[in-house]
Amino acid sequence: MASETLIRVCMGPAGIAAGGKQVIEAFHAALVDAGVSAQVRERCSSHQVGCMGLCARDVLVEVHQGDVKTVYQYIKPDMVQRIVDEHLVAGKPITEWLVDEVYASFYRKQIKVVLADCGRIDPEDIDAYEAVKGYEAARECLTNRRPEEVIEEVKMSGLRGRGGAGFPTGLKWELGRKSRGDDKYIICNADEGDPGAFMDRAVIEGSPHAVIEGMIIGAFSMGARNGYVYIRAEYPLAVERLKKALDQARTRGYLGKGIFGSAFDFDIKIKLGAGAFVCGEETALIASIEGMRGMPRPKPPFPVNRGLWQKPTVINNVETFANIPAIIRNGCGWYAGFGTDKSKGTKVFALTGKIKNPGLIEVPMGITLREIIEEIGGGIESGRPFKAVQTGGPSGGCIPASMLDIAVDYESLAKVGSIVGSGGMIVLDADDCMVNVAKYFVQFTQSESCGKCVPCRVGTKRVLETLERITTGKGKEDDIERLEKLAGGIKAMSLCGLGQTAPNPVLSTLKYFRDEYEAHIRDKKCPAKVCKGLLTYSIDEATCKACGACLRACPSGAVSGEKKKPHRIDAAKCVRCGACFEVCKFGSVNRE
Amino acid sequence: MAMVSLTINGKKITVPDDLTILEAANRHGIAIPNLCKHPQLTPFGGCRLCVVEIKGVPRPVASCTTPVNEGMEITTVTEQLEQHRKFVLELILSDHPNDCMTCESTGSCQLQELAYTYGVKGQEYAGERRTYAKKDGNPFIERDLEKCILCGRCVKVCQEIQGVEAIDFGYRGFKSKITTAYEDDLNCEFCGQCVHVCPTGALTGKLWKRKGRYEGVKETDTVCPYCGTGCNITVHSKNNEIIRITSRPWTWNEGFLCVKGRFGYPFVSSPDRLTKPLIKRKSGEFEETTWTAALEYTASWFRKIREEHGPDALGGLSSARCTNEENYLFQKFMRAGIGTNNVDHCARL
Amino acid sequence: MTNSIADIEGMEVIFIIGSNTKETHPVIANRMIKAYRKGAKIIVADPRAVPMVKFSELYLPMRPGTDIALLNGMGQVIVQEGLQNDEFIRDKTEGFDAWKDSVRDFTPERVSKLTGVPKDDIIRAARLYGGSRKAGIFYTMGITQHTCGTDNVKAIANLATLTGNIGRPHTGVNPLRGQNNVQGASDMACAPNVYPGYQRVDLPEVQQKFEQAWGKKLSPKPGLTTTEMIHAAHDKRLKGLYIMGENPVLTDPNQHHTIEALKNLEFLVVQDIFLTETAKLAQVVLPAACSYEKEGTYTNTERRVQRVRRAVNAPGEAWDDLSIIIALSRHLGYPMEYRSPELVFNEFAGLWPALGGMTYDRLKGRGLAWPCPTPEHHGTEYLYKDGFPKGKVPFVQIAFKEPAEVTSDDYPFILTTGRNLYQYHSGSMSRRVPPIEKHAGRAYVEMNRSDAERLSVADGDRVIVSSRRGEVTIAVRVTNQVSAGTLFIPMHYAEAAANVLTNDALDPTVKIPEFKVCAVQVTSAPKAASLATGG
């Protein structure tokens, strides 16, 4: 009996960027040329799949033969022919192209619930989703359960909002159900905006039907007949796949009137966001759907009472919805088996920064930061000492190396001044200046502030100005105090979550890396040698070979020197661009 | 409507349940500072000055947007809250020209008043200020956006009351500003409702400029001389010249006017005004004369026509723009003085 | 207005017919928009897509002069669908059955043909208005300035009576008065047939009352209306005219006729603040004070009597009108001596019970709406709370008539006139306001895009608009605000006065001219610029 051969090629954005499309085409061509189809009795097919997680090693190609899975990394189109020839035809996998130990360790501590199907099934094929029990959960809910029972199941699972705030999902649905109104809305927040975060995009690109199914179950539970997915226009692939998935679901009768033969009507519209970070805030998102400028509205009233068009509205994040089908299929007990006491289940993180294996990971709540960074992430890429990890995006904080053993869950991260947030995780090493990191995030929130409330609009500007001053050597003795006062005021007085959390990167770095601030202000030094304004360049006369490279590179004429005589840098003319440092082949330019 | 009981600053009050904390407090004589809330507009919640503490709620909440609830225990003044308010005022003033000396709105500026009350100078967080080179070229409304505190009142009044939607928030972050579409000059109904609700000197009448603020200014409450709506207006005058027209918020027209009511007064001082009685000479030219001569000449003509042709050969057209008293006396003059019912006015025109 | 302006905020349905409320009564429109924000449904019936259409649930773009057909048609649907207020009809009205018969043939199909409004929209409008018991009707000159103006008003009253939308808060028949004191001037009987308070001159007991009060024998013979006086002057039956604060040359229809009439007078005295087009024709011109320069009262459109106060002094030797009349009466030998406007007020408040409870002191603040018969009375926010003056309200059968002048091959356009937002009436005030002149200082005729294309004229081109009575040269404003075949000219601009063109045909009852419909033609004007360039 011939075994089935299946080739899966990563077609997430990282896969596409690395040439995934060409790899697939190469497989198509090579398979036909080699007549492999005859040998494997036309059972061999190549599939495009969503993100497999380990983006750093793209293009990843999986070859499944029966129960045997072989994974290749860094595959280029011109390598395909050899795989076909040697592996598929001759039956001998090419060992030097196989994934290494890193691949195994990357997956060892992960538990895939949300990402279970990402990278496994063709996201553009509803049959593929149904083949892995897709839409069974929704069918079960709509035909066999009462909304209250579904809500109870979700409550018991302990699932909390994955968008950042961690509000219990079942409770939100219950409030939505109890809120009075004929028209109710359910919204999927896919306005992922944190720098470095891309889990929502990956979920929609990799398994859009799971999100749709989660929304159907949510809508049924709260009694909404209309749904929206508010998604960034900057995610064209996700939008395209979502559109296709919605069309397929409609064709099957999973959206529209009388879903699954029940009396329940529900449909979903896509609303494209225009790239305002604040529109990820739920009330701003509602304003944006209504056609207004995306500005947050005060709460209360909460959206569950008065949301979209003043009607009861439940808003959940992509990842939250994607959890739902699995919870219904496997039961709340199964899901609650992962995680900690108060933070149940798994969470997807976008692991980036100075890490060996950047990519998308899904881990049980309660795993330690050390496990994530050292085992899954493979440690620091450069080999330099680990310094901190920034979690939760611009609303989050920096956690220092000394706290690597804390558990990753809502409570523990909050306790040390950061948040789980939507799941951004940026690893920093000794080459990162913490003042500069704080400045980067404040710059982000300031330019993304909607301008509505004073503390956020003006306050973050003043914080940014202070940080700019500090990082350019103009810091004043009382600037730390000023930052603390500003941060406290902004936190307490801002209207929405954006402003209330905007000072977190500053506060957490002040807390754990105060010495760096002090070095900038008092000693006018940037210990990480990042802040250009604080660096001084000089030429070591003993090792200078007088090659003239620095002299030619200097844009401001600060370097002087003659042939065969050591060169010099005139500090008064130096603009601290670092060009001399970069070009010197002999390490003779000192940077301090 | 259901009523709820709550305490504010220890005072127990009972109010309808659809009020906000700010409205409930105001109703019971408790003032809470604010800049973005206007009684006729839906709450905005942007200035954050109206924050209060609610027992059991960890962070201060904006009273202008928070609905009352049964049993709430609210405090409007604590050291912490006052610190917060000062903080916000410091920030606002750090991005404000602080040119009250020459500002049109000095004396009627809510920001100035709060800065005064809290002793805030805007020095503590001094930093970059927004500056705009371009001025709006419309003929009615001066828009000095450097003085704008983005309270959103003008945007709301233009949308909610006037239904014009000529302006909205534009840009983001510190660069946020109130703008027209494509930043063109304002081209709207020029009702000046935005000027009326602006709490600072950002929006003023172009006609007002350098005419007077409060020193020596007389305010006269009267009625608009244009259409039949009869809006209540307040005429500000100085040295026998009208320098601006406003409407008080507690009038029945709620302080709202139209372009004519608010900006239509300069005809009063037009050089075309008649200042002396005129009599037409044989040449057809008018000649200035004395009141006595003009009145006697007129009366003699009336007497002559009445004697020759009877009173019904005379008629009088009165004016829908004159007062009741004048109209009454005019018809009395025609009926009792002349002796005819030939008297009418322009009601039909 | 039967109801008050503030009352609008609580209405469920607002039916605006023949009123460009947003431009002519902007602050009343503000209230309507507030009601709209609270969920009120607005119906606008108008030949022009006036700005309020933006807020309307339903817009009925009717042909000018077909109001009766529309109103009767809505009444017919309301009866057909059983939406009428049976209890109100039984207890408070008479003549319902006969009226019902009279509207039977105003079916939506026929009315649609007459008015040009789609059949279904007529039905929807009837359902909206008839389906609410908190519905108010608003109208202005778009209803009254027709040869059938009186009938138009009665047809409106029928609708309110049919649904009982009168005599309660948030309802009413609400004509919006166009000028600051047009209500007061009417109340004060600057009208040929009544004494102050609408007390008829031809009733002996009334005549006696006023003879006693004024100490003078009075004429029992009703006098002439404005337009009749102009005709009488033209025919030289009227010899002398005293005009106070009026500019009939611009505001009366058929301007050439008006000017001739005034020239035919033996004596014309005009009392005004400017040397108006009319004043220029006078033998004597008396300089008056303007509104900001005098004391007194105005009565607004909701019958609210409010105090007017002096803010500045009149320029030069200008006097307030009251002082002028008093002085003139002395010269005429019928001295009327009053030391203050307040004493004049007290005199007429004593002669008309509706104002009996008012004094200057009580008018402080927001004023009082009449009737206010006693010193304890708080004024009347809405009329007919306790029933109707004549007992039962009659339904009036109204037949549909075409306007006096209809289009022909020679005059294929219908011209309708009115105001715009920025200017006011004859413009003697507003045209002397520099920012208004800068923004809205040019006369224009609104023309539908399709007509403009057909005539090959572009926005800003100058055309000659002519009627059987005269012609004006005017710039075209191409817009879809007017429908094809209809033109609109604002009345404010002396240099292109709409009333050169308008028809002086009158409503037979109240003698109001048909400003809203006349037939005109459009030809292109020789271009000054193109002449200059030799083109």
Side-chain angles (χ1 to χ4, degrees):
Chain A
M1 188 169 163
S3 62
E4 232 174 274
T5 298
L6 183 65
I7 300 163
R8 291 194 177 126
V9 180
C10 176
M11 282 286 279
I16 293 173
K21 212 170 167 192
Q22 291 79 355
V23 170
I24 276 211
E25 281 162 8
F27 267 110
H28 281 310
L31 288 172
V32 174
D33 287 353
V36 173
S37 53
Q39 285 195 18
V40 294
R41 291 178 210 155
E42 298 190 342
R43 290 275 177 93
C44 182
S45 55
S46 55
H47 276 189
Q48 54 171 8
V49 293
C51 182
M52 294 176 179
L54 194 55
C55 301
R57 311 242 158 175
D58 268 322
V59 178
L60 288 164
V61 173
E62 289 180 2
V63 178
H64 295 251
Q65 289 177 307
D67 290 338
V68 183
K69 180 173 96 173
T70 316
V71 188
Y72 292 104
Q73 60 184 7
Y74 301 125
I75 297 304
K76 301 262 173 278
D78 57 7
M79 298 158 79
V80 168
Q81 191 62 48
R82 202 178 141 197
I83 296 176
V84 172
D85 292 346
E86 295 184 16
H87 188 163
L88 299 184
V89 178
K92 274 189 278 178
I94 305 158
T95 41
E96 68 264 37
W97 290 353
L98 290 181
V99 287
D100 50 23
E101 160 59 22
V102 167
Y103 185 80
S105 73
F106 183 75
Y107 284 107
R108 199 172 294 131
K109 293 241 162 157
Q110 294 200 51
I111 295 174
K112 301 235 173 177
V113 175
V114 170
L115 300 178
D117 298 328
C118 292
R120 229 156 58 82
I121 61 167
D122 182 348
E124 300 192 0
D125 181 5
I126 191 170
D127 285 330
Y129 182 64
E130 294 211 66
V132 292
K133 297 184 178 178
Y135 287 109
E136 267 182 24
R139 190 188 310 264
E140 157 74 11
C141 290
L142 267 63
T143 54
N144 282 329
R145 297 201 201 177
R146 286 184 297 110
E148 291 77 7
E149 291 169 343
V150 180
I151 290 171
E152 194 55 28
E153 183 91 54
V154 176
K155 276 169 91 176
M156 294 304 288
S157 75
L159 176 65
R160 290 166 66 174
R162 295 297 192 238
F167 191 84
T169 306
L171 182 58
K172 192 185 265 189
W173 289 10
E174 189 173 45
L175 292 171
R177 172 143 202 94
K178 284 182 178 163
S179 186
R180 276 187 217 168
D182 298 335
D183 292 326
K184 295 182 182 179
Y185 293 92
I186 193 160
I187 298 173
C188 172
N189 183 350
D191 192 51
E192 187 170 49
D194 285 3
F198 51 95
M199 44 267 149
D200 292 348
R201 191 195 66 202
V203 170
I204 293 181
E205 285 170 352
S207 186
H209 285 286
V211 179
I212 296 170
E213 188 178 3
M215 286 184 75
I216 295 171
I217 295 167
F220 170 73
S221 302
M222 74 166 294
R225 276 174 301 188
N226 291 293
Y228 283 92
V229 178
Y230 188 92
I231 183 167
R232 300 178 59 146
E234 298 93 324
Y235 281 180
L237 184 63
V239 173
E240 189 192 313
R241 289 193 176 152
L242 188 63
K243 273 185 186 156
K244 275 189 188 157
L246 286 171
D247 287 342
Q248 290 168 354
R250 264 183 223 117
T251 312
R252 294 268 158 110
Y254 302 164
L255 287 173
K257 295 221 176 287
I259 301 174
F260 301 121
S262 71
F264 182 65
D265 305 337
F266 176 66
D267 209 337
I268 297 172
K269 287 187 187 125
I270 295 177
K271 177 83 190 175
L272 295 186
F277 175 68
V278 74
C279 285
E281 199 281 339
E282 56 181 2
T283 58
L285 185 152
I286 286 172
S288 178
I289 292 182
E290 288 174 0
M292 319 285 278
R293 176 180 164 97
M295 281 176 130
R297 297 167 180 177
K299 295 186 275 192
F302 291 94
V304 284
N305 297 318
R306 272 196 276 156
L308 186 61
W309 319 114
Q310 300 290 308
K311 310 286 186 195
T313 303
V314 160
I315 302 184
N316 286 127
N317 151 277
V318 171
E319 190 184 336
T320 313
F321 280 125
N323 268 303
I324 299 294
I327 291 173
I328 300 293
R329 274 201 309 268
N330 302 315
C332 56
W334 166 80
Y335 190 79
F338 307 115
T340 66
D341 224 19
K342 286 182 173 168
S343 304
K344 303 287 188 195
T346 59
K347 173 79 190 92
V348 182
F349 288 95
L351 194 57
T352 57
K354 306 285 179 58
I355 191 94
K356 267 200 187 115
N357 302 323
L360 213 54
I361 62 166
E362 182 170 359
V363 290
M365 286 282 192
I367 191 172
T368 66
L369 270 176
R370 188 183 299 282
E371 286 172 288
I372 291 179
I373 290 164
E374 293 183 355
E375 297 182 36
I376 299 174
I380 302 297
E381 185 191 19
S382 59
R384 279 187 286 268
F386 168 80
K387 190 187 228 174
V389 56
Q390 207 281 348
T391 69
S395 305
C398 293
I399 301 165
S402 62
M403 294 184 171
L404 261 187
D405 288 312
I406 65 159
V408 175
D409 60 51
Y410 293 110
E411 285 71 28
S412 308
L413 290 193
K415 210 178 286 171
V416 300
S418 188
I419 57 169
V420 172
S422 58
M425 203 172 261
I426 302 171
V427 178
L428 307 167
D429 70 10
D431 270 3
D432 289 305
C433 166
M434 298 314 284
V435 185
N436 195 50
V437 167
K439 186 178 86 176
Y440 167 77
F441 282 109
V442 173
Q443 205 158 30
F444 181 84
T445 40
Q446 157 58 211
S447 61
E448 290 295 337
S449 163
C450 78
K452 181 168 179 172
C453 76
V454 178
C456 179
R457 182 184 73 241
V458 188
T460 57
K461 173 74 177 174
R462 300 296 175 239
V463 171
L464 179 60
E465 285 170 346
T466 311
L467 291 172
E468 275 167 350
R469 209 156 59 213
I470 293 172
T471 54
T472 50
K474 295 172 193 135
K476 289 184 255 174
E477 200 60 29
D478 62 354
D479 273 349
I480 289 180
E481 193 195 340
R482 177 180 157 108
L483 282 176
E484 279 168 339
K485 273 165 79 179
L486 278 164
I490 295 165
K491 245 178 128 67
M493 293 292 276
S494 289
L495 170 68
C496 81
L498 186 146
Q500 286 162 13
T501 58
N504 285 352
V506 178
L507 286 172
S508 64
T509 47
L510 270 175
K511 188 169 168 188
Y512 300 120
F513 302 95
R514 205 182 185 88
D515 53 333
E516 286 196 32
Y517 281 86
E518 286 166 351
H520 281 75
I521 295 169
R522 284 183 202 150
D523 313 333
K524 309 291 177 202
K525 294 278 175 213
C526 174
K529 301 196 169 123
V530 170
C531 299
K532 288 193 166 158
L534 293 176
L535 300 178
T536 50
Y537 292 87
S538 58
I539 294 172
D540 179 9
E541 298 193 6
T543 57
C544 177
K545 302 277 188 286
C547 68
C550 55
L551 190 132
R552 287 188 295 275
C554 180
S556 62
V559 181
S560 59
E562 292 164 33
K563 279 223 161 132
K564 300 196 176 161
K565 282 187 183 168
H567 288 20
R568 293 189 151 191
I569 295 174
D570 181 352
K573 285 186 185 166
C574 175
V575 294
R576 297 162 182 181
C577 66
C580 51
F581 182 81
E582 304 290 332
V583 295
C584 182
K585 288 182 204 143
F586 312 103
S588 300
V589 177
N590 296 323
R591 186 173 69 173
E592 290 172 292
Chain B
M1 182 157 306
M3 303 291 281
V4 292
S5 295
L6 58 151
T7 62
I8 302 182
N9 298 344
K11 181 177 170 184
K12 201 169 169 70
I13 62 169
T14 302
V15 293
D17 68 353
D18 64 341
L19 295 192
T20 63
I21 294 172
L22 181 68
E23 287 164 337
N26 287 348
R27 223 176 249 206
H28 288 269
I30 299 162
I32 303 173
N34 64 81
L35 279 172
C36 68
K37 178 71 185 98
H38 187 276
Q40 296 301 333
L41 304 173
T42 57
F44 183 64
C47 80
R48 316 307 292 166
L49 285 169
C50 71
V51 286
V52 296
E53 284 175 9
I54 304 174
K55 196 174 171 187
V57 177
R59 32 183 317 128
V61 300
S63 61
C64 68
T65 57
T66 309
V68 291
N69 245 324
E70 182 62 40
M72 267 183 174
E73 289 178 42
I74 295 156
T75 315
T76 67
V77 183
T78 66
E79 200 174 318
Q80 183 70 54
L81 287 174
E82 295 292 273
Q83 279 304 323
H84 284 325
R85 290 182 183 132
K86 274 183 119 150
F87 172 71
V88 169
L89 284 169
E90 281 286 358
L91 288 181
I92 294 175
L93 287 178
S94 75
D95 181 29
H96 193 83
N98 291 345
D99 61 351
C100 304
M101 283 294 187
T102 51
C103 179
E104 210 57 60
S105 292
T106 284
S108 60
C109 172
Q110 282 168 267
L111 177 61
Q112 188 186 39
E113 194 63 16
L114 278 170
Y116 162 80
T117 309
Y118 282 89
V120 168
K121 290 182 176 171
Q123 300 295 321
E124 194 166 343
Y125 301 111
E128 187 191 332
R129 282 206 291 107
R130 289 163 299 154
T131 50
Y132 304 109
K134 184 180 174 282
K135 292 268 185 235
D136 196 309
N138 82 78
F140 297 96
I141 297 170
E142 192 70 79
R143 300 172 67 220
D144 186 348
L145 296 178
E146 292 176 16
K147 292 177 184 167
C148 172
I149 60 168
L150 286 107
C151 69
R153 284 186 185 187
C154 53
V155 175
K156 276 184 178 288
V157 83
C158 193
Q159 187 203 358
E160 294 174 9
I161 302 291
Q162 203 64 20
V164 171
E165 298 167 58
I167 43 174
D168 205 339
F169 283 80
Y171 307 100
R172 290 203 281 257
F174 191 68
K175 296 191 184 101
S176 302
K177 73 192 275 202
I178 307 297
T179 169
T180 58
Y182 310 110
E183 298 227 38
D184 287 342
D185 284 352
L186 196 61
N187 185 5
C188 60
E189 295 183 357
F190 297 111
C191 61
Q193 252 65 292
C194 53
V195 176
H196 167 64
V197 299
C198 180
T200 73
L203 298 171
T204 54
K206 287 200 170 166
L207 293 168
W208 305 354
K209 198 175 273 181
R210 308 267 171 270
K211 292 278 188 183
R213 297 188 293 198
Y214 49 86
E215 187 67 33
V217 174
K218 184 177 83 169
E219 293 184 9
T220 310
D221 292 331
T222 183
V223 181
C224 176
Y226 282 98
C227 80
T229 308
C231 298
N232 291 190
I233 57 173
T234 300
V235 178
H236 303 241
S237 58
K238 186 173 180 175
N239 301 328
N240 203 40
E241 184 192 2
I242 299 178
I243 58 166
R244 70 173 79 162
I245 283 180
T246 60
S247 181
R248 301 190 195 274
W250 56 85
T251 56
W252 67 259
N253 45 302
E254 301 173 326
F256 301 128
L257 296 174
C258 74
V259 58
K260 296 185 290 286
R262 203 180 294 279
F263 301 120
Y265 59 83
F267 74 88
V268 176
S269 46
S270 161
D272 295 347
R273 279 296 295 274
L274 294 169
T275 54
K276 282 199 166 171
L278 305 173
I279 289 184
K280 198 177 266 171
R281 292 299 168 210
K282 289 240 161 48
S283 62
E285 298 292 303
F286 282 113
E287 192 179 281
E288 289 184 352
T289 182
T290 64
W291 272 107
T292 313
L295 292 170
E296 186 48 43
Y297 184 66
T298 303
S300 68
W301 262 106
F302 285 167
R303 278 195 298 267
K304 177 172 178 283
I305 292 171
R306 183 166 60 183
E307 279 158 23
E308 289 175 10
H309 306 285
D312 286 340
L314 285 161
L317 291 182
S318 169
S319 174
R321 277 171 295 279
C322 290
T323 64
N324 288 326
E325 291 74 4
E326 288 157 353
N327 274 296
Y328 171 80
L329 220 57
F330 187 86
Q331 59 89 33
K332 186 178 173 185
F333 175 84
M334 293 308 295
R335 291 192 157 107
I338 303 277
T340 179
N341 282 316
N342 287 344
V343 57
D344 202 1
H345 74 287
C346 56
R348 301 169 184 86
L349 308 176
Chain C
M1 287 171 77
T2 61
N3 289 51
S4 72
I5 294 168
D7 198 58
I8 295 170
E9 235 177 290
M11 289 180 184
E12 290 172 353
V13 173
I14 294 171
F15 179 24
I16 304 168
I17 179 164
S19 161
N20 180 5
T21 319
K22 191 93 181 71
E23 295 195 71
T24 59
H25 298 85
V27 175
I28 293 178
N30 288 349
R31 288 284 180 169
M32 293 177 171
I33 292 169
K34 277 176 109 177
Y36 163 80
R37 303 255 177 248
K38 292 181 180 174
K41 304 271 188 279
I42 297 177
I43 309 166
V44 176
D46 205 294
R48 299 169 66 214
V50 291
M52 274 314 280
V53 169
K54 177 178 167 192
F55 307 95
S56 67
E57 179 82 8
L58 195 55
Y59 167 50
L60 313 174
M62 51 192 290
R63 282 199 303 121
T66 59
D67 307 77
I68 290 171
L70 179 69
L71 294 162
N72 280 356
M74 283 174 65
Q76 196 268 355
V77 175
I78 288 172
V79 173
Q80 203 73 63
E81 307 211 341
L83 295 170
Q84 73 278 12
N85 188 334
D86 289 323
E87 192 188 335
F88 185 86
I89 292 169
R90 187 188 63 221
D91 296 345
K92 298 192 172 162
T93 72
E94 58 195 20
F96 172 64
D97 291 331
W99 172 82
K100 195 168 91 179
D101 287 342
S102 78
V103 297
R104 183 156 294 156
D105 57 346
F106 284 89
T107 59
E109 291 76 15
R110 181 174 163 234
V111 172
S112 177
K113 274 197 197 107
L114 290 170
T115 58
V117 176
K119 185 188 105 184
D120 290 345
D121 286 349
I122 296 166
I123 296 170
R124 274 181 69 202
R127 283 179 186 158
L128 266 178
Y129 180 78
S132 171
R133 295 296 178 254
K134 280 187 182 176
I137 307 184
F138 296 81
Y139 65 91
T140 59
M141 299 305 198
I143 279 293
T144 53
Q145 287 177 343
H146 290 278
T147 45
C148 56
T150 312
D151 284 349
N152 282 347
V153 173
K154 286 176 181 163
I156 285 175
N158 283 339
L159 271 193
T161 314
L162 181 64
T163 53
N165 274 317
I166 191 150
R168 285 180 295 110
H170 318 306
T171 63
V173 173
N174 300 300
L176 306 177
R177 312 304 305 254
Q179 296 174 61
N180 56 340
N181 199 32
V182 68
Q183 182 68 50
S186 306
D187 295 347
M188 290 303 110
C190 285
N193 56 342
V194 288
Y195 292 117
Y198 307 97
Q199 309 179 62
R200 286 171 57 174
V201 296
D202 54 355
L203 293 180
E205 64 272 23
V206 175
Q207 190 188 346
Q208 221 171 15
K209 172 179 166 183
F210 280 90
E211 282 179 347
Q212 207 157 24
W214 295 345
K216 192 80 192 288
K217 196 92 185 111
L218 298 173
S219 166
K221 185 182 143 208
L224 302 175
T225 64
T226 304
T227 29
E228 287 171 330
M229 278 189 246
I230 298 296
H231 285 304
H234 198 261
D235 301 347
K236 303 191 178 176
R237 283 179 283 121
L238 195 77
K239 309 287 182 187
L241 191 55
Y242 176 15
I243 299 181
M244 170 174 83
E246 278 284 83
N247 190 8
V249 169
L250 274 198
T251 60
D252 281 25
N254 197 350
Q255 186 181 86
H256 297 323
H257 178 266
T258 307
I259 292 172
E260 256 175 58
L262 295 178
K263 282 184 173 164
N264 283 353
L265 288 166
E266 287 180 18
F267 179 71
L268 174 63
V269 52
V270 173
Q271 181 171 315
D272 212 312
I273 60 174
F274 294 111
L275 194 65
T276 62
E277 291 74 8
T278 304
K280 285 176 186 158
L281 303 173
Q283 276 74 54
V284 176
V285 179
L286 304 174
C290 78
S291 189
Y292 306 104
E293 298 159 350
K294 59 193 177 190
E295 299 278 335
T297 56
Y298 289 151
T299 306
N300 78 348
T301 187
E302 50 171 358
R303 298 163 283 102
R304 187 183 298 280
V305 183
Q306 310 191 98
R307 281 281 279 115
V308 177
R309 296 180 183 88
R310 180 190 299 117
V312 289
N313 296 321
E317 293 177 28
W319 289 2
D320 63 79
D321 295 285
L322 207 65
S323 304
I324 301 174
I325 300 166
I326 289 170
L328 192 56
S329 72
R330 250 181 246 138
H331 281 269
L332 190 72
Y334 174 73
M336 305 189 289
E337 301 297 340
Y338 303 88
R339 274 177 292 110
S340 71
E342 187 172 8
L343 297 173
V344 180
F345 183 90
N346 291 344
E347 178 174 311
F348 62 71
L351 287 167
W352 184 26
L355 302 188
M358 293 187 193
T359 62
Y360 268 23
D361 200 44
R362 288 199 69 202
L363 294 179
K364 276 181 192 158
R366 292 183 175 197
L368 289 164
W370 63 252
C372 173
T374 63
E376 298 78 34
H377 198 282
H378 294 296
T380 306
E381 293 293 313
Y382 62 95
L383 295 176
Y384 315 128
K385 185 180 181 183
D386 307 313
F388 296 91
K390 289 171 190 157
K392 294 206 164 186
V393 190
F395 277 93
V396 186
Q397 299 165 40
I398 311 289
F400 172 69
K401 285 189 294 287
E402 289 285 349
E405 195 171 81
V406 294
T407 55
S408 63
D409 289 349
D410 291 344
Y411 297 98
F413 284 97
I414 295 177
L415 171 71
T416 183
T417 67
R419 292 182 181 169
N420 67 26
L421 171 65
Y422 303 94
Q423 299 286 2
Y424 175 69
H425 218 61
S426 77
S428 56
M429 287 151 57
S430 59
R431 297 209 68 189
R432 289 183 172 89
V433 175
I436 289 180
E437 271 303 277
K438 189 174 171 203
H439 188 71
R442 271 190 79 197
Y444 57 90
V445 54
E446 288 183 359
M447 182 186 288
N448 187 275
R449 204 164 293 281
S450 63
D451 289 332
E453 275 167 22
R454 199 164 42 78
L455 298 175
S456 307
V457 294
D459 197 82
D461 282 358
R462 294 177 70 75
V463 294
I464 298 170
V465 179
S466 48
S467 75
R468 293 184 174 87
R469 291 156 293 278
E471 62 173 51
V472 298
T473 305
I474 192 166
V476 170
R477 186 178 282 181
V478 178
T479 170
N480 287 333
Q481 183 153 310
V482 290
S483 49
T486 303
L487 303 176
F488 170 81
I489 300 180
M491 64 182 287
H492 318 291
Y493 303 94
E495 63 276 24
N499 285 328
V500 169
L501 307 168
T502 49
N503 192 355
D504 47 356
L506 301 181
D507 174 275
T509 316
V510 297
K511 318 290 184 194
I512 194 164
E514 188 146 65
F515 287 108
K516 295 304 180 201
V517 187
C518 74
V520 296
Q521 54 165 263
V522 178
T523 49
S524 53
K527 284 177 190 162
S530 58
L531 284 175
T533 53

